[in-house]
Amino acid sequence: QKEVEQDPGPLSVPEGAIVSLNCTYSNSAFQYFMWYRQYSRKGPELLMYTYSSGNKEDGRFTAQVDKSSKYISLFIRDSQPSDSATYLCAMSLYSGAGSYQLTFGKGTKLSVIP
Amino acid sequence: DTGVSQNPRHKITKRGQNVTFRCDPISEHNRLYWYRQTLGQGPEFLTYFQNEAQLEKSRLLSDRFSAERPKGSFSTLEIQRTEQGDSAMYLCASSLVGIEQFFGPGTRLTVL
């Protein structure tokens, strides 16, 4: 079992729909939970990160973390064709050496159809 | 701020050849990470630098791989005696403090 599990999709939704993406993880030591967006042949771009359980909202994006269930989610409201990309969840814990190395899920490929 | 840059963007090489990639982090970012991403997978951590010191290495980083960050500025990743299994996107990320890592566009390596 991988440390971070994420359904690779693909996921196809109509424009304006609410999108729900999620990941589960097995390492209870993870402290930070992130969502990255990656367009084809580009590097990942950080969307949001949270430190603890609960919700965090930024515009049309809401991230949820449930540490008791080891489950994180990203919701996208009023989805747009420009949201079409691969969404990667990532998790991290602080190492004594100063590193916040990230452990990623496989990514979910999202297509928003006009 | 021009972001993280990586060169070359694409590299095609024959099995057994050596290749070297370069990463220029965001100015003043003292932390630098290398990751590898294969098709259909998320990036996997390879190594971490704080200034010029290489402080963490993944078990994925075999002895054919070596990374440097002279003077704590740009970094290079060299792969010796490339194998077909080395074909991947090699990503560099930099950070100043905390958790936020800014990724470059990556170098796509194809080993024939």
Side-chain angles (χ1 to χ4, degrees):
Chain A
Q1 182 192 9
K2 298 199 78 171
E3 279 193 292
V4 179
E5 299 280 358
Q6 183 176 11
D7 186 339
L11 181 62
S12 185
V13 301
E15 183 176 354
I18 296 175
V19 176
S20 172
L21 305 166
N22 52 73
C23 292
T24 59
Y25 62 96
S26 57
N27 187 350
S28 58
F30 284 133
Q31 300 166 307
Y32 300 90
F33 305 90
M34 282 136 286
W35 286 95
Y36 280 84
R37 178 174 61 196
Q38 186 174 29
Y39 293 110
S40 182
R41 300 189 178 273
K42 304 283 188 183
E45 169 195 2
L46 179 64
L47 287 174
M48 303 176 68
Y49 74 91
T50 55
Y51 174 67
S52 59
S53 285
N55 293 1
K56 185 175 182 178
E57 191 172 317
D58 184 1
R60 296 185 294 112
F61 298 89
T62 298
Q64 283 186 352
V65 175
D66 182 347
K67 293 179 83 171
S68 62
S69 301
K70 298 191 182 68
Y71 187 89
I72 71 169
S73 300
L74 178 71
F75 298 94
I76 307 174
R77 291 183 298 281
D78 187 24
S79 55
Q80 303 296 311
S82 58
D83 294 328
S84 299
T86 295
Y87 289 80
L88 297 152
C89 63
M91 305 179 190
S92 179
L93 54 86
Y94 179 74
S95 79
S99 165
Y100 290 92
Q101 64 170 266
L102 300 175
T103 302
F104 283 87
K106 281 188 175 184
T108 299
K109 186 170 185 178
L110 172 67
S111 295
V112 180
I113 311 302
Chain B
D1 180 0
T2 58
V4 178
S5 61
Q6 292 187 247
N7 288 288
R9 295 293 309 278
H10 305 275
K11 179 71 177 178
I12 300 174
T13 191
K14 293 183 179 179
R15 186 163 51 96
Q17 298 294 305
N18 298 345
V19 294
T20 300
F21 311 139
R22 176 177 170 130
C23 169
D24 287 273
I26 294 171
S27 178
E28 298 181 356
H29 278 195
N30 62 339
R31 301 176 185 193
L32 188 147
Y33 303 79
W34 284 97
Y35 292 83
R36 181 175 70 185
Q37 186 176 23
T38 54
L39 199 61
Q41 303 294 319
E44 294 176 293
F45 170 77
L46 291 178
T47 190
Y48 163 73
F49 288 85
Q50 186 165 324
N51 299 311
E52 66 275 8
Q54 187 175 20
L55 298 181
E56 286 193 5
K57 290 196 288 187
S58 162
R59 66 185 185 281
L60 294 175
L61 211 68
S62 75
D63 54 8
R64 294 185 299 105
F65 288 69
S66 63
E68 294 182 341
R69 193 182 182 199
K71 302 179 183 178
S73 55
F74 70 92
S75 176
T76 59
L77 178 67
E78 180 184 16
I79 309 175
Q80 296 182 327
R81 305 181 304 280
T82 53
E83 302 173 355
Q84 288 186 324
D86 297 330
S87 294
M89 173 83 89
Y90 289 84
L91 292 160
C92 173
S94 73
S95 172
L96 182 56
V97 292
I99 192 66
E100 292 192 61
Q101 295 179 29
F102 298 86
F103 281 82
T107 294
R108 182 171 298 278
L109 173 67
T110 301
V111 181
L112 301 176

